[in-house]
Amino acid sequence: MRFRRYKIALSADIEKAFLQILVKPEDRDAHRFLWKVGDKIRVMRIVRVPFGNKASPFLLNATIRHHLSKYPESNTKQELSDNMYVDDWLSGGDTTEEVLSLKSEAMKIMSEAGMNLCKWSSNSSDIAENCERQFKDKTIEVESVKVLGMHNPREDSITFDSEVVASDLIVTKRLVLSCIARIFDPLGLISPFIITVKILFQDLWKLGVSWDEEVSDAMCHAFRSWLKGVTELKKLSIPMCYVAVSWGDKQRVELHCFCDSSMQAYGAVIYLRVLESDSSMSVSLVLSKARLCPLKPVTLPRLELLGAVVGSKLLRSVINSLYLPDNVKYFCWTDSLVTLQWIRSDPTRWKPFVCNRVAQIQEVTEPVAWNHCRGKENPADCLTRGLTAKELMANPLWYRGPPWLKEFTADTNVSECSPNEEALVEEKGASEVNTCLVGVESVLDSKRWGEYTKAVRVMAWVLRFMNNATKRKVS
């Protein structure tokens, strides 16, 4: 998410990163190995941090952080500290001068730790030429460079390139799961397409299909149609940068979260809305998350509430990841009036399921920030019902939000929440049963238990004991 902030992207790699760190002499016995030289077997010890150890990434990260702690606070130090993923550094800036200064300072700081930044790449031709002049053959010059699996610097866009599965393979549950795992989409930019095959996979579980059993003809046809869409997604291109304005002016930024649910999936999507220099508004898709509905039946209003929980967590994650101020404007949208009434009420008013989730939502978002939008204008609807590849690529609602979002102002936010009968079903005491015993001698003192249902369970245990105690054993 942070890599998409700036107009000019910059990435680099630490050359032989793990091998720049020494292992303490007392720990080197853990890295002993045998080496045959002629007729002799020598016992060798690795004195540098090896690539294959589980702890190696941690040791590298801890070493870099220890080194950076020696320097005063600066933008370069923060970028190196926060945007280093193992040995890959992802950063950028709004101007060429800013990026060149960042690059030179980063090289100086890392070189003092004995670490050389190499494999420089940028979407700016000026930065690329500077790197080429400075490093010559050490700079990678290719048509496409993947950054954490998904970025094309030449076109300055995010693309998807998944492996294509042979069409003549037998479709099994194992194959379906394998194809799901091959698509790398950490930001959820193509979640409406992926959720369709996840729903199919859940249906296979419901039917009890074994891992290597061939699926039915109907499911086989649906899966092969989805596979064709994987090939079509190669044509999809999403702009890398969120907006063209300077990222330093964060007062121009708003966040809009849309939540929704169907009987098959629920989830949320976050949009970044920015006021540009010409007073126009630009909207960009930032992050989405979709989850399958549980196998245990759950009412649709409760599923809508689960979608709101996902949305509130995503919203807080985006605010923290993009370093937005605490007072950043944000608006949350749902097409469920029931969910809206729950969120805008006191959590203790509702039954435990609703109470706990409303409390989670109110802990990270303000109830007044939640509003109602029509279902047809809710982009999260694409997320929960699924889209084919062609529908996804031709769907402006998903990538840019509803048309009214660009003209939206907080002054027009007048969503009122009127009492809803469906919402009141979850109110405490809504389904309590009152009983009255007249003229019957009490076997058990029902006043010992505060709830009618508990008294019924106790009586059931008593009757069960009496039944078991009076049964005669057959010899």
Side-chain angles (χ1 to χ4, degrees):
M1 281 189 286
R2 285 196 296 273
F3 190 52
R4 298 180 63 195
R5 293 174 297 172
Y6 301 113
K7 292 183 288 184
I8 300 178
L10 182 69
S11 67
D13 181 85
I14 302 176
E15 185 177 10
K16 302 176 182 177
F18 295 126
L19 299 182
Q20 310 308 317
I21 305 173
L22 281 171
V23 178
K24 288 184 177 181
E26 56 267 31
D27 295 330
R28 292 174 184 173
D29 281 342
H31 294 143
R32 288 185 296 176
F33 64 96
L34 302 178
W35 189 262
K36 186 175 182 180
V37 181
D39 296 332
K40 295 183 178 179
I41 302 294
R42 296 184 61 186
V43 178
M44 310 288 286
R45 291 172 177 81
I46 299 176
V47 299
R48 303 275 181 161
V49 172
F51 178 79
N53 278 13
K54 288 186 177 180
S56 295
F58 162 76
L59 293 173
L60 174 62
N61 184 269
T63 302
I64 293 174
R65 289 184 178 274
H66 173 71
H67 175 67
L68 293 176
S69 65
K70 302 176 182 178
Y71 293 84
E73 294 298 326
S74 66
N75 179 57
T76 304
K77 175 183 176 180
Q78 183 178 2
E79 289 291 319
L80 286 170
S81 176
D82 297 348
N83 298 323
M84 187 76 73
Y85 185 83
V86 189
D87 60 347
D88 291 317
W89 183 48
L90 313 176
S91 186
D94 293 320
T95 63
T96 302
E97 294 75 16
E98 180 185 347
V99 175
L100 289 176
S101 175
L102 178 70
K103 179 174 73 68
S104 60
E105 290 180 17
M107 288 177 58
K108 180 181 178 182
I109 292 176
M110 297 304 293
S111 64
E112 292 175 359
M115 297 183 182
N116 178 40
L117 290 174
C118 62
K119 298 182 181 178
W120 292 92
S121 181
S122 176
N123 59 345
S124 169
S125 57
D126 294 335
I127 303 297
E129 289 175 5
N130 177 275
C131 293
E132 187 177 359
R133 289 195 304 268
Q134 190 170 1
F135 304 102
K136 294 182 180 180
D137 59 334
K138 291 187 178 181
T139 301
I140 292 184
E141 191 68 28
V142 294
E143 289 300 320
S144 175
V145 176
K146 283 189 176 182
V147 177
L148 299 186
M150 49 182 308
H151 179 54
N152 189 327
R154 292 303 176 195
E155 298 178 1
D156 195 21
S157 61
I158 297 173
T159 58
F160 296 88
D161 187 11
S162 181
E163 296 181 20
V164 180
V165 178
S167 58
D168 57 345
L169 290 179
I170 298 176
V171 179
T172 62
K173 190 167 75 172
R174 190 185 304 276
L175 177 65
V176 174
L177 180 60
S178 173
C179 292
I180 294 174
R182 293 185 186 193
I183 297 183
F184 183 64
D185 182 30
L187 298 178
L189 302 180
I190 56 173
S191 289
F193 174 71
I194 299 177
I195 197 65
T196 56
V197 74
K198 288 186 176 181
I199 293 173
L200 175 65
F201 185 71
Q202 187 181 61
D203 290 340
L204 293 176
W205 274 103
K206 292 178 181 178
L207 295 173
V209 178
S210 61
W211 282 105
D212 297 309
E213 178 184 348
E214 186 174 0
V215 303
S216 64
D217 292 341
M219 289 192 168
C220 179
H221 176 73
F223 179 69
R224 293 190 187 280
S225 298
W226 181 84
L227 280 181
K228 292 179 181 178
V230 175
T231 305
E232 295 172 355
L233 274 182
K234 294 182 179 181
K235 303 175 185 177
L236 180 64
S237 180
I238 302 171
M240 192 279 290
C241 183
Y242 292 128
V243 289
V245 298
S246 172
W247 184 255
D249 190 2
K250 297 178 182 177
Q251 299 301 322
R252 298 169 174 261
V253 174
E254 284 181 6
L255 292 176
H256 289 260
C257 171
F258 291 85
C259 312
D260 190 41
S261 176
S262 66
M263 295 306 295
Q264 296 174 314
Y266 62 91
V269 56
I270 308 291
Y271 292 92
L272 187 73
R273 183 173 177 262
V274 180
L275 176 64
E276 298 193 12
S277 54
D278 59 354
S279 299
S280 63
M281 289 288 182
S282 65
V283 180
S284 300
L285 171 62
V286 179
L287 183 68
S288 77
K289 178 75 72 175
R291 293 178 178 170
L292 295 173
C293 294
L295 295 178
K296 182 181 178 181
V298 180
T299 61
L300 185 58
R302 286 191 172 192
L303 291 175
E304 294 275 6
L305 183 62
L306 290 176
V309 172
V310 173
S312 62
K313 292 180 179 179
L314 283 185
L315 185 67
R316 186 52 52 183
S317 174
V318 171
I319 292 175
N320 295 336
S321 298
L322 296 182
Y323 302 142
L324 297 176
D326 292 335
N327 62 347
V328 63
K329 291 183 180 179
Y330 63 84
F331 301 89
C332 304
W333 303 89
T334 176
D335 54 20
S336 171
L337 290 173
V338 177
T339 301
L340 191 60
Q341 183 171 343
W342 286 340
I343 295 174
R344 289 186 173 183
S345 305
D346 183 2
T348 58
R349 178 182 174 184
W350 312 110
K351 294 178 181 179
F353 183 96
V354 176
C355 173
N356 294 336
R357 284 151 185 82
V358 170
Q360 291 180 39
I361 295 171
Q362 293 184 356
E363 185 177 354
V364 294
T365 61
E366 294 292 336
V368 293
W370 286 84
N371 306 277
H372 179 263
C373 69
R374 295 194 303 172
K376 293 181 179 180
E377 298 175 346
N378 189 351
D381 186 72
C382 307
L383 189 74
T384 59
R385 302 182 188 277
L387 297 173
T388 65
K390 288 184 178 179
E391 292 172 341
L392 179 64
M393 291 188 288
N395 194 320
L397 177 65
W398 173 248
Y399 289 108
R400 295 297 176 187
W404 52 260
L405 193 56
K406 288 189 176 182
E407 288 77 27
F408 171 80
T409 59
D411 297 334
T412 61
N413 180 24
V414 290
S415 297
E416 296 295 336
C417 185
S418 57
N420 190 294
E421 293 183 2
E422 290 184 76
L424 297 178
V425 171
E426 295 289 345
E427 195 170 15
K428 285 184 177 179
S431 61
E432 290 181 359
V433 179
N434 297 320
T435 59
C436 181
L437 301 178
V438 181
V440 179
E441 185 178 352
S442 299
V443 179
L444 294 174
D445 185 8
S446 59
K447 295 181 180 180
R448 293 175 55 189
W449 300 283
E451 297 179 359
Y452 169 75
T453 55
K454 187 172 183 179
V456 170
R457 290 198 301 271
V458 172
M459 191 62 193
W461 279 102
V462 172
L463 294 175
R464 180 181 180 184
F465 172 78
M466 293 172 59
N467 179 62
N468 293 340
T470 55
K471 284 183 177 180
R472 297 181 179 179
K473 293 184 180 181
V474 180
S475 58

